[in-house]
Amino acid sequence: GKGGTGVTRRIRLLMLVLAVVIVALGTGLIKLNLDTTQDTGDSKTTQPAGREGYYIFQDDDTGLYGVRNENDRVLVDAEWNSLSFSGEQTLLVSRRTGGALRYGMIQINENVRIPFAYSSITPLTGQILAAVTAEDEKTILYNTEGQQLLSQAWDSCVAEDGVLRLMSGTAQYTAEVSGSTIRMTAVTMRTVLAGEPLYFSFDAEDLAGVESYTVLAQLAQLSHQYLKAMLRQDYSDVYSITAADSYSAVIDEHRMQNRYFTSMTLLDTEWDESDPVLRYACTFRFCYRLKTDSGVVPQASNLILRMRRDADGLLLLYSVEEQPVDMQTGQVIMDSTKGADEQSSGRKYE
């Protein structure tokens, strides 16, 4: 009757609603599965963490990687041996060149940000990458967007608790890191003089007024060059000293052949930008043992090396001044035979 027909219609309507719900649930589950892993017949796709809308896929035939968007449109062709996101729109990728893997960085539009000249590129901190050159195994620092940080290549780089330690030759640079900003705080250069290890150390205060942190290592290198020549009594290799004969007075007067250096520290670094030529003055404190007729006596002195830049930008040593220092007080020893002006300046050789 009519009552039976009404019940039948209600049952059919309920079944239709249930069918719609089941189809909707099934579609949602399929979409959820595709958001994480898709099998499109020729590739497998994964979504990297924090990269909504981007999917890294691997081609089943070649095994190479590319990037798709959520609409399955290929943004980066599958031609990379490895691929991972670096910055917002940048990717660290590798490809095989001449049988060897070479690493670089590209943008989503495939513009190259870091050239493919590296045997590895790895995170050094959260926003700083260490790229090791394939040619000479030097390390160059980049941020996650592919911009080079600092101006030179390093022998090694270590990061720990927000501090970078960078080695270049015999110089170690210490820097503080905030994001991708690097602030140099110290430079220490180790060398050997007369069989004894010597350290040239510059701290943040010394670094503050120098136009480039690399200048400090150059100052240390030039100072070391002079000191070696002074001990050997041979200035033929000191390219930057003019009228080198005038420096023989330092050796003769202070009996350099009887000195045995024990330590050296940097007391002060000054620069003069008012002069048309930028000038530097480094004052070092030397502690050494002096061989005398009565035995070996501990001694100390200040050695002031003055340098300037030439037209080609090279540092040249143009003046040397030595001031004997009292071992007890650390003060410069005054010579009673000299006038006040001469005492304050110490011995000077130009």
Side-chain angles (χ1 to χ4, degrees):
K2 291 184 179 179
T5 302
V7 172
T8 301
R9 287 177 178 174
R10 290 192 191 96
I11 292 174
R12 287 177 178 174
L13 181 61
L14 180 61
M15 291 179 64
L16 179 61
V17 170
L18 287 173
V20 170
V21 170
I22 291 171
V23 169
L25 287 173
T27 302
L29 289 172
I30 292 172
K31 186 178 186 304
L32 179 63
N33 183 62
L34 288 176
D35 277 349
T36 55
T37 302
Q38 296 182 9
D39 189 353
T40 60
D42 64 349
S43 63
K44 188 176 182 180
T45 304
T46 59
Q47 183 179 34
R51 305 293 176 180
E52 188 173 350
Y54 293 111
Y55 301 89
I56 296 174
F57 69 93
Q58 183 179 22
D59 189 280
D60 287 340
D61 295 331
T62 65
L64 301 179
Y65 294 89
V67 177
R68 288 178 173 153
N69 66 11
E70 56 190 357
N71 298 320
D72 212 31
R73 177 190 169 200
V74 174
L75 304 177
V76 177
D77 290 332
E79 57 184 20
W80 307 102
N81 290 84
S82 65
L83 183 151
S84 62
F85 276 85
S86 176
E88 288 297 320
Q89 295 285 315
T90 54
L91 302 161
L92 290 178
V93 293
S94 68
R95 64 186 177 194
R96 196 165 295 280
T97 303
L101 281 179
R102 293 291 179 261
Y103 291 78
M105 178 185 285
I106 62 171
Q107 294 175 304
I108 288 292
N109 60 13
E110 299 196 58
N111 287 337
V112 175
R113 293 290 295 165
I114 298 178
F116 292 86
Y118 301 98
S119 58
S120 68
I121 301 178
T122 55
L124 190 62
T125 68
Q127 296 184 38
I128 298 177
L129 306 171
V132 178
T133 59
E135 182 178 357
D136 53 12
E137 297 185 345
K138 298 288 187 180
T139 299
I140 295 177
L141 302 182
Y142 292 92
N143 66 16
T144 53
E145 299 301 324
Q147 297 172 320
Q148 184 174 340
L149 307 175
L150 306 180
S151 59
Q152 71 183 87
W154 305 94
D155 295 332
S156 66
C157 303
V158 177
E160 184 177 3
D161 298 329
V163 175
L164 280 183
R165 302 193 188 284
L166 311 166
M167 290 297 300
S168 178
T170 59
Q172 176 178 289
Y173 297 78
T174 304
E176 293 178 350
V177 176
S178 177
S180 62
T181 301
I182 299 174
R183 186 179 75 88
M184 288 293 179
T185 57
V187 180
T188 300
M189 184 174 180
R190 183 187 186 280
T191 186
V192 175
L193 189 65
E196 297 289 343
L198 299 178
Y199 295 87
F200 299 79
S201 296
F202 303 81
D203 60 19
E205 186 177 345
D206 300 311
L207 289 164
V210 179
E211 79 276 14
S212 170
Y213 62 91
T214 55
V215 169
L216 297 176
Q218 294 174 33
L219 292 175
Q221 192 170 20
L222 185 53
S223 301
H224 174 242
Q225 185 185 33
Y226 170 75
L227 295 170
K228 282 177 64 177
M230 187 171 64
L231 286 182
R232 292 197 313 262
Q233 303 185 42
D234 177 7
Y235 295 93
S236 59
D237 294 333
V238 185
Y239 68 91
S240 57
I241 294 180
T242 57
D245 290 343
S246 65
Y247 292 92
S248 62
V250 178
I251 299 169
D252 295 340
E253 184 174 350
H254 301 107
R255 295 183 294 178
M256 292 304 301
Q257 66 271 25
N258 292 325
R259 289 190 188 190
Y260 302 92
F261 286 100
T262 56
S263 67
M264 177 181 66
T265 56
L266 180 72
L267 297 183
D268 188 36
T269 303
E270 298 179 350
W271 48 90
D272 182 4
E273 297 179 288
S274 61
D275 194 284
V277 178
L278 190 61
R279 296 174 183 268
Y280 303 92
C282 294
T283 302
F284 296 95
R285 171 65 54 81
F286 283 89
C287 294
Y288 56 91
R289 302 188 304 275
L290 180 64
K291 185 178 179 182
T292 66
D293 294 338
S294 57
V296 177
V297 181
Q299 296 284 323
S301 65
N302 290 348
L303 188 66
I304 303 173
L305 305 182
R306 294 181 176 86
M307 300 164 233
R308 65 171 180 263
R309 286 203 176 279
D310 69 0
D312 297 322
L314 295 175
L315 280 177
L316 304 180
L317 179 66
Y318 71 90
S319 172
V320 177
E321 179 181 347
E322 184 171 9
Q323 302 170 331
V325 170
D326 186 294
M327 290 289 288
Q328 299 297 322
T329 65
Q331 300 299 313
V332 174
I333 297 174
M334 295 296 187
D335 188 341
S336 60
T337 63
K338 296 184 176 182
D341 293 340
E342 198 174 2
Q343 289 176 13
S344 63
S345 63
R347 301 180 180 92
K348 190 173 182 181
Y349 304 90
E350 294 194 35

